[in-house]
Amino acid sequence: MKKVIAHSLFSEFDIGLFKQGKHYRLYEKLGSHIATVDDVIGTYFAVWAPSAKAVYVVGDFNCWTDNEHLLNVRWDESGIWEGFIPNVGKGSLYKYKIHSHNDNIITEKADPYARRFEHPPKTASVVWQDSYQWEDNEWMKIRKEKNALDAPFSVYEVHLGSWKRKFTDNNRSLSYIELADELVAYVKYMKFSHVEIMPVMEHPYDPSWGYQITGYFAPTSRYGYPEEFKFLIDKFHQNNIGVILDWVPSHFPEDKHGLGFFDGSHLYEHPDRRKGYHPDWKSLIFNYGRNEVKSFLISNALFWLDQYHIDGLRVDAVASMIFLDYSRNYGEWEPNMYGGNEYLEAINFLKELNEEVYLSFPDVQTIAEESTAFPKVSKPTYLGGLGFGKKWMMGWMHDSLQYFGKQPIYRKSHQNDLTFSMTYAFSENFMLPLSHDEVVHGKNSIIGRMPGDEWQKFANLRILYSYMFTHPGSKLLFMGGEFGQHAEWNFRDSLDWYVLEYDFHKGIQKLIIDLNFLYQNYPALYEKQFENDGFEWIAYDDFENSVISYLRKGKSEDDSIIVVCNMTPVPREVYRIGVPKGDTLVEILNSDEEKYGGTGNYENKKVRIEKSKWNHRAYSCEVALPPLSTTVFAIE
């Protein structure tokens, strides 16, 4: 029997779509696939390498010997090499040894479409196939309403390798199976609606946190097998928790076994270093104008939604993709055909990506990490937008952390930092992020940025979180922030779970639970979170007292709630606010409650509303504002 048997999974239609950049299910064709040919079980291999003059499969089944298993090049100028190798099965290790037409360069590459990889630092691809049986049918039926723009969407961002470690077992990370038990139970306990997992795709370098990917179609083997990662996702779904993956189409590393210079040519990366190299991350940038590369990336996005039942993709570093001059000095970039700095091919790629995602999976969300004022990021493409469902509200994050980092005595001069977000809050569908990026590289932890003594630090943190959860937009909080971890995040260490022995930290955790409950159970906080008429200032100009107050409104006027934030340690025992017509205000959350670590001395029982003009309203009432607090009222 021949060592490589001619065999193909591609039709002429497949090849036509591939060349046009319109084949969005390439993971069904390229890569390694266990198959039966002529009654013999083996593996079909297919790889795109148009500059190759020969492509060999080398692996543990041929002692990694060159010239043993030569793939066949297709006749249609697609650049695809393919073939069936008998008796190669699940678990076999392999790479592609590529002899290039370019200067006779020889590369040895991992399979870009491999479903599994060896545990780093080893780099071989692994032939893999699983028959996982999903048990999340109930979730899949309802996830459209769970992911809707008018639904509460509260996200716990987690790095799987450092969320919790086994100190008794060489300080190792938890496995996917262990996380399915412990992490799922914790996220449910904290009442988050979704979890966002930092890049889980295979990557060679731990300090990259997963953002330098070499195996785009494989969950990292650090924590277990692919089907075990599916089991983790399944368990989240069975507990009514959505799963978002960080996805990185913006750049990839130059590791020798990776995508860079794949077939002796600039295949996946742009050949012009002004477009193909990222100076900040010392990595390569995809060639978004090449059809086959677009098909690779869009197929990868759909792969995770299709094969792993993922509920959303948070797309990393969008700003770096859409601007030619991102992190580049004058003379280091070339303007587009219109003389501008927009990367037109990347913009078109993102539009095409979002159109296909929402066409194929209308019940998921794509979320852009985009930090500039680029317009209409989260608007549909037919309205001239990029087509994302949501966009991170980086301005809110920067302004809020800057404001809360100031001593209260100075805040009256900086109240605009806090209120400015409302001038643009509804220009996009914004998600409010306090992410991993804010607790690394010397920035300090979130609690570490708060001023004052210990009591004041925690009181300030309670206001910040309460303000975040009552501000328009969906929410994201990085792990550790939910209990006020003091230390900066370190990917090598577990979170400091021991601090929950202390009341202040337990108080923060209880507050996050109650804020999630508040957000999910009061329609005024989510039904119109992306609409201008879902928010109304009561007073934003009380600079002297450093107090802000506002209304959040749902579809029914009866659902409106009032939020009052006192940004100083001075209690306001009698503070008048203008309110809509009603009989009474009922306190539904007070961040100064004793159970959260507050004083517990300033409870508002039912507050009578009077027909007395205040804040340009015909009705008003007097409330007690605790020191450094947020108080939330329902109107009855």
Side-chain angles (χ1 to χ4, degrees):
M1 181 178 287
K2 292 182 179 179
K3 292 183 177 180
V4 177
I5 298 173
H7 184 69
S8 182
L9 298 182
F10 286 91
S11 66
E12 289 186 28
F13 184 62
D14 287 322
I15 296 300
L17 290 176
F18 178 56
K19 289 180 177 180
Q20 297 167 32
K22 299 294 184 182
H23 201 309
Y24 303 138
R25 296 293 194 283
L26 285 176
Y27 52 88
E28 297 175 350
K29 309 292 180 177
L30 288 165
S32 59
H33 300 270
I34 297 173
T36 301
V37 175
D38 297 334
D39 297 324
V40 177
I41 297 176
T43 299
Y44 164 79
F45 295 90
V47 62
W48 178 51
S51 291
K53 61 182 179 182
V55 176
Y56 298 90
V57 183
V58 297
D60 58 359
F61 47 85
N62 60 17
C63 298
W64 302 94
T65 304
D66 203 348
N67 299 318
E68 283 287 313
H69 293 96
L70 173 66
L71 296 180
N72 304 302
V73 64
R74 290 186 61 90
W75 54 267
D76 48 25
E77 298 182 346
S78 62
I80 293 173
W81 296 72
E82 61 184 351
F84 173 81
I85 303 179
N87 304 314
V88 172
K90 182 176 179 179
S92 295
L93 306 180
Y94 71 100
K95 285 185 179 179
Y96 297 116
K97 197 155 192 176
I98 303 170
H99 295 247
S100 178
H101 279 294
N102 296 336
D103 298 323
N104 293 315
I105 293 170
I106 299 176
T107 62
E108 190 169 293
K109 296 291 186 176
D111 188 346
Y113 291 85
R115 304 293 182 91
R116 186 186 159 207
F117 279 79
E118 285 187 291
H119 193 297
K122 296 180 179 179
T123 58
S125 304
V126 182
V127 175
W128 203 254
Q129 176 178 285
D130 72 74
S131 55
Y132 184 80
Q133 298 297 311
W134 290 90
E135 299 181 9
D136 62 350
N137 288 340
E138 292 304 313
W139 168 262
M140 298 299 281
K141 290 176 185 176
I142 65 168
R143 75 170 180 176
K144 185 172 184 178
E145 62 186 70
K146 296 290 186 179
N147 288 335
L149 294 177
D150 61 354
F153 202 97
S154 176
V155 181
Y156 185 62
E157 185 189 21
V158 62
H159 177 261
L160 295 183
S162 58
W163 178 71
K164 186 180 288 186
R165 287 178 175 257
K166 290 286 186 182
F167 294 112
T168 57
D169 190 2
N170 201 30
N171 196 33
R172 67 169 176 83
S173 301
L174 300 186
S175 68
Y176 293 129
I177 298 297
E178 291 168 326
L179 289 162
D181 179 20
E182 297 191 40
L183 178 59
V184 172
Y186 182 74
V187 175
K188 184 175 184 179
Y189 170 71
M190 294 301 299
K191 300 189 185 301
F192 285 97
S193 66
H194 292 72
V195 64
E196 179 177 321
I197 300 174
M198 290 170 65
V200 74
M201 301 79 180
E202 193 59 84
H203 53 282
Y205 188 50
D206 287 349
S208 77
W209 312 333
Y211 289 97
Q212 299 271 8
I213 297 171
T214 50
Y216 271 81
F217 290 84
T220 180
S221 57
R222 289 166 173 83
Y223 318 123
Y225 298 119
E227 53 267 43
E228 293 174 337
F229 182 53
K230 290 181 179 179
F231 178 75
L232 170 60
I233 296 165
D234 208 346
K235 285 299 181 183
F236 274 120
H237 287 172
Q238 291 171 36
N239 285 275
N240 290 321
I241 299 165
V243 181
I244 302 165
L245 290 189
D246 269 12
W247 186 58
V248 190
S250 49
H251 64 113
F252 59 92
E254 291 188 280
D255 293 62
K256 288 185 178 181
H257 69 286
L259 296 177
F261 212 57
F262 188 80
D263 61 353
S265 73
H266 298 291
L267 191 62
Y268 288 91
E269 70 272 22
H270 199 287
D272 185 342
R273 295 283 277 190
R274 293 174 296 181
K275 291 183 178 179
Y277 182 75
H278 201 298
D280 284 354
W281 303 316
K282 306 297 187 292
S283 55
L284 302 175
I285 300 172
F286 286 102
N287 185 352
Y288 304 109
R290 188 162 192 169
N291 286 340
E292 297 90 344
V293 174
K294 283 198 304 181
S295 283
F296 169 81
L297 288 171
I298 296 176
S299 291
N300 184 243
L302 268 58
F303 169 80
W304 294 103
L305 302 174
D306 175 23
Q307 298 291 299
Y308 283 83
H309 290 201
I310 295 302
D311 306 292
L313 298 171
R314 177 265 194 186
V315 182
D316 182 61
V318 170
S320 75
M321 298 172 63
I322 60 179
F323 290 109
L324 294 164
D325 59 346
Y326 186 90
S327 285
R328 299 181 190 275
N329 298 319
Y330 179 78
E332 295 178 345
W333 62 281
E334 183 180 35
N336 62 34
M337 59 188 295
Y338 303 110
N341 66 341
E342 298 88 0
Y343 192 169
L344 301 179
E345 291 86 353
I347 290 169
N348 289 335
F349 157 70
L350 289 170
K351 289 180 178 180
E352 194 171 328
L353 163 73
N354 284 312
E355 287 172 353
E356 186 58 33
V357 166
Y358 283 110
L359 177 64
S360 299
F361 300 93
D363 51 354
V364 306
Q365 289 290 353
T366 60
I367 304 164
E369 187 214 10
E370 203 286 312
S371 55
T372 74
F374 191 90
K376 299 182 179 181
V377 170
S378 60
K379 302 303 179 185
T381 56
Y382 62 79
L383 295 177
L386 290 184
F388 286 94
K390 299 181 185 181
K391 169 182 171 174
W392 275 18
M393 197 175 190
M394 308 296 278
W396 171 87
M397 178 271 296
H398 285 297
D399 291 345
S400 296
L401 290 178
Q402 184 174 345
Y403 177 87
F404 279 96
K406 290 180 168 62
Q407 291 287 347
I409 193 172
Y410 302 117
R411 289 178 178 173
K412 65 181 180 181
S413 301
H414 296 275
Q415 192 144 314
N416 284 338
D417 291 346
L418 202 64
T419 60
F420 179 68
S421 63
M422 294 313 305
T423 65
Y424 63 93
F426 304 105
S427 60
E428 301 276 5
N429 300 331
F430 279 119
M431 172 178 280
L432 281 59
L434 291 174
S435 75
H436 67 276
D437 278 331
E438 311 321 315
V439 293
V440 290
H441 301 321
K443 295 177 184 175
N444 211 332
S445 62
I446 301 297
I447 184 68
R449 298 179 187 215
M450 301 296 110
D453 59 22
E454 185 180 41
W455 188 92
Q456 288 186 338
K457 283 179 180 293
F458 280 91
N460 274 299
L461 188 62
R462 293 193 296 270
I463 311 177
L464 171 60
Y465 287 160
S466 302
Y467 168 62
M468 173 185 183
F469 273 81
T470 56
H471 188 288
S474 52
K475 330 295 177 188
L476 178 139
L477 185 62
F478 183 58
M479 63 182 199
E482 81 279 9
F483 56 76
Q485 172 160 313
H486 281 293
E488 276 194 347
W489 171 57
N490 185 333
F491 71 93
R492 295 184 178 91
D493 297 330
S494 173
L495 295 182
D496 293 336
W497 294 103
Y498 71 88
V499 301
L500 285 170
E501 299 172 8
Y502 304 102
D503 289 340
F504 280 135
H505 294 277
K506 283 192 293 188
I508 293 293
Q509 188 183 56
K510 290 176 182 176
L511 177 65
I512 293 297
I513 293 171
D514 288 353
L515 286 171
N516 272 323
F517 179 85
L518 186 80
Y519 179 37
Q520 294 165 16
N521 286 275
Y522 283 85
L525 291 174
Y526 61 81
E527 285 184 339
K528 293 187 174 183
Q529 58 188 341
F530 304 118
E531 300 176 35
N532 187 62
D533 59 354
F535 177 92
E536 185 178 329
W537 282 114
I538 294 174
Y540 58 84
D541 54 356
D542 187 2
F543 302 98
E544 286 301 320
N545 291 315
S546 294
V547 173
I548 60 172
S549 52
Y550 47 90
L551 274 169
R552 290 299 312 278
K553 298 182 288 184
K555 295 176 181 177
S556 169
E557 290 186 8
D558 295 337
D559 291 333
S560 296
I561 65 172
I562 289 173
V563 182
V564 189
C565 301
N566 177 15
M567 305 297 182
T568 74
V570 179
R572 317 285 175 187
E573 297 189 31
V574 179
Y575 189 88
R576 184 169 290 273
I577 56 172
V579 297
K581 185 177 180 179
D583 293 326
T584 57
L585 292 188
V586 178
E587 184 180 279
I588 55 176
L589 186 133
N590 184 334
S591 71
D592 187 56
E593 282 191 57
E594 193 172 355
K595 67 177 179 178
Y596 304 139
T599 68
N601 295 331
Y602 301 90
E603 179 185 2
N604 289 278
K605 295 182 179 179
K606 287 194 173 184
V607 178
R608 188 74 180 172
I609 295 175
E610 308 166 4
K611 190 170 184 180
S612 175
K613 290 184 179 181
W614 200 259
N615 297 136
H616 308 290
R617 297 176 183 272
Y619 296 85
S620 65
C621 62
E622 291 181 340
V623 297
L625 302 184
L628 290 172
S629 69
T630 297
T631 313
V632 186
F633 301 93
I635 304 171
E636 294 184 352

